[in-house]
Amino acid sequence: MEDSKRQQFRAALRETKNLPTLPGIVVKLSRMADDPDSTTEQMGKVLSKDHILAAKLLKLVNSAFYGFPQRISSLSSAIILLGFNVVKSLIVSASIFEMMEDQDVELWEHSLGCAVACSVVARRIGVDEPEEVSTAGLIHDIGKVAIKMELPQEYEMITRLMRERKMSMRQAELEVLGLGHDEAGGWLTKSWNLPTKLIEPIACHHDPRLAKDEMLSSSIIHFSDILIRGMGYGHAGDDKVPALSKRAWQLLNLSPEDINFIIDEVEEKLWEVKGFSLEIQAETENSATNG
Amino acid sequence: MQQILSAQAKEGMVLAKDVMTPESRVLCGKGTVLSTTLLDRLEKMDIVHVTVEGHPVELPGEKTLKQELQAVEERFSDVTQIAPLMYIKQRIMKKLVESRG
């Protein structure tokens, strides 16, 4: 693949026209987060001004992948419980998911499922901030959305290659674009100024060895992506379970008991998440019939 | 165990999981047999989905257990050399069989 062509795709994906840009509210909140004088209550108030966004955020926060025993009803407690980085990424995810719900329900289900698996695995091995890992899991395939939206012709070629030559989506992306959705997702989240803790696991979810600082989170997402594909929840473009990175497997160091626990727990939580997507579907149908 | 929309729930079905209100209170517990009164209440409370015992609702296009198991085999067909993934596959298949039983 010539470098110039690669550069051209890179530029096209960078200057996204169809993807939501980071809402102004995030910029404002980032400024507040850096200011030691602003409180989480004040940040919650700013967020609440956008009613639709606030409702979506609370819905995401209360859905199964964060698994808080109590319902979280205020945005300021969401910021305290989840941390500002997670809330910031959720604002991005909320706007992206709106689009994914219309465009690609199955990829959205795969993403939700992956977030659930990430949350279970991260808690089982005891990482410090499991919410950040599940948020990265939630948006790990954002590169796929970007490619589909920004490069429709190339996307068509990718799906044709997958069909005709039985390639995985990532193999086909590499063949057509010279880059994969993992790399594309990395740039995109970087251009949105999301923290490295989220960027690296997204960029390295197919090869956690590439991660510099976040190899463990990258490995959790790598494994969760594989697990959720294996469980057949949602659809990520191609059906086959990809190879497991040896390095990731060593790092996670899961025993058969861990695996049993993780599968049981993920399945249990998926029942709730399935309810969450049924609800969204019902809402979409309602608004379609009412509107 | 099957998750269905409340609109698909019928009298006599048995709840396999607690039904919760949006405030996370238990509205009716696991094991409850659904009656017309209860179904009305679920509708009034805007409960969108419930989980019931067995597999009472035939959804269009839904796979049989045999087809589901074949699909698992197919999904894992490229990674038969990777021991941890084969272990995961066995667990997933075992759980599928149990859930339909």
Side-chain angles (χ1 to χ4, degrees):
Chain A
M1 173 69 51
E2 325 86 273
D3 255 8
S4 63
K5 203 168 165 194
R6 214 177 111 95
Q7 286 301 329
Q8 182 199 325
F9 291 131
R10 192 176 169 144
L13 286 171
R14 268 220 175 130
E15 292 156 23
T16 50
K17 286 175 218 77
N18 302 314
L19 280 176
T21 46
L22 203 57
I25 200 162
V26 176
V27 181
K28 191 164 181 184
L29 285 170
S30 301
R31 216 175 294 141
M32 291 179 83
D34 291 335
D35 176 0
D37 287 337
S38 54
T39 65
T40 46
E41 282 79 15
Q42 286 169 334
M43 289 168 71
K45 258 185 204 153
V46 171
L47 264 175
S48 321
K49 283 197 182 125
D50 186 335
H51 295 290
I52 298 171
L53 182 63
K56 278 195 191 128
L57 266 185
L58 284 175
K59 200 165 182 181
L60 274 170
V61 167
N62 284 306
S63 62
F65 41 86
Y66 291 112
F68 292 112
Q70 284 293 312
R71 197 176 165 82
I72 299 166
S73 52
S74 84
L75 288 165
S76 46
S77 41
I79 297 173
I80 294 170
L81 279 166
L82 294 170
F84 180 65
N85 279 343
V86 169
V87 171
K88 190 166 150 185
S89 324
L90 283 179
I91 298 173
V92 179
S93 338
S95 24
I96 293 159
F97 273 156
E98 195 171 350
M99 203 173 60
M100 272 170 89
E101 280 163 37
D102 307 337
Q103 285 255 334
D104 201 335
V105 180
E106 291 194 307
L107 181 60
W108 137 259
E109 279 181 347
H110 168 72
S111 307
L112 280 178
C114 184
V116 169
C118 284
S119 154
V120 173
V121 176
R123 275 167 225 271
R124 180 72 179 182
I125 59 179
V127 306
D128 287 340
E129 278 160 334
E131 292 84 10
E132 294 202 331
V133 184
S134 42
T135 304
L138 192 61
I139 52 178
H140 77 284
D141 270 346
I142 186 66
K144 284 187 184 169
V145 184
I147 293 170
K148 190 175 176 183
M149 302 289 287
E150 296 300 322
L151 304 167
Q153 279 181 341
E154 286 77 9
Y155 181 76
E156 190 58 40
M157 284 161 73
I158 290 168
T159 48
R160 200 183 325 130
L161 274 184
M162 287 165 61
R163 235 184 3 252
E164 288 170 3
R165 287 171 44 195
K166 304 247 175 285
M167 283 184 173
S168 77
M169 189 171 231
R170 188 159 176 274
Q171 281 170 329
E173 287 164 354
L174 290 173
E175 178 106 358
V176 174
L177 304 171
L179 59 97
H181 64 271
D182 40 354
E183 197 181 340
W187 301 335
L188 209 56
T189 44
K190 200 170 182 181
S191 74
W192 286 331
N193 286 319
L194 295 184
T196 316
K197 277 186 170 174
L198 292 164
I199 299 170
E200 258 200 18
I202 292 165
C204 308
H205 75 268
H206 281 283
D207 188 357
R209 287 174 307 177
L210 299 174
K212 289 191 190 76
D213 301 319
E214 302 297 333
M215 205 189 275
L216 184 61
S217 303
S218 307
S219 300
I220 295 174
I221 291 163
H222 173 74
F223 177 75
S224 302
D225 182 29
I226 288 177
L227 180 65
I228 209 70
R229 280 163 181 268
M231 292 175 82
Y233 187 80
H235 187 66
D238 46 23
D239 275 333
K240 292 279 175 72
V241 172
L244 175 66
S245 144
K246 274 195 183 130
R247 183 80 189 92
W249 182 244
Q250 282 166 355
L251 212 57
L252 294 174
N253 193 22
L254 298 169
S255 67
E257 291 72 38
D258 290 329
I259 297 284
N260 298 354
F261 173 87
I262 289 166
I263 293 178
D264 288 354
E265 191 79 0
V266 170
E267 203 189 67
E268 182 71 23
K269 293 209 157 146
L270 283 181
W271 285 102
E272 297 167 39
V273 171
K274 212 168 154 199
F276 182 70
S277 38
L278 278 177
E279 267 173 51
I280 286 179
Q281 274 173 31
E283 262 170 37
T284 319
E285 278 157 25
N286 271 344
S287 61
T289 42
N290 296 336
Chain B
M1 199 160 65
Q2 186 182 24
Q3 189 170 43
I4 55 175
L5 287 168
S6 308
Q8 295 166 320
K10 297 259 177 333
E11 202 184 334
M13 289 182 184
V14 182
L15 289 178
K17 284 185 186 296
D18 295 345
V19 174
M20 312 290 270
T21 66
E23 293 75 35
S24 298
R25 276 197 302 268
V26 178
L27 192 64
C28 38
K30 180 180 166 173
T32 309
V33 182
L34 293 175
S35 61
T36 33
T37 337
L38 262 176
L39 288 170
D40 281 348
R41 222 171 128 203
L42 293 181
E43 200 191 323
K44 281 204 192 83
M45 297 287 294
D46 278 334
I47 303 293
V48 183
H49 57 89
V50 293
T51 306
V52 291
E53 295 284 3
H55 204 84
V57 180
E58 284 289 324
L59 300 167
E62 201 182 23
K63 290 187 180 127
T64 63
L65 177 59
K66 200 177 158 199
Q67 285 170 325
E68 293 258 27
L69 293 174
Q70 264 170 3
V72 179
E73 287 283 3
E74 178 62 23
R75 289 201 294 272
F76 280 89
S77 60
D78 284 353
V79 290
T80 50
Q81 306 299 316
I82 304 174
L85 295 185
M86 287 300 101
Y87 180 77
I88 290 174
K89 183 184 103 176
Q90 295 305 330
R91 282 303 288 195
I92 291 173
M93 291 176 109
K94 185 166 171 269
K95 293 211 67 155
L96 260 177
V97 173
E98 285 168 4
S99 75
R100 288 291 184 106

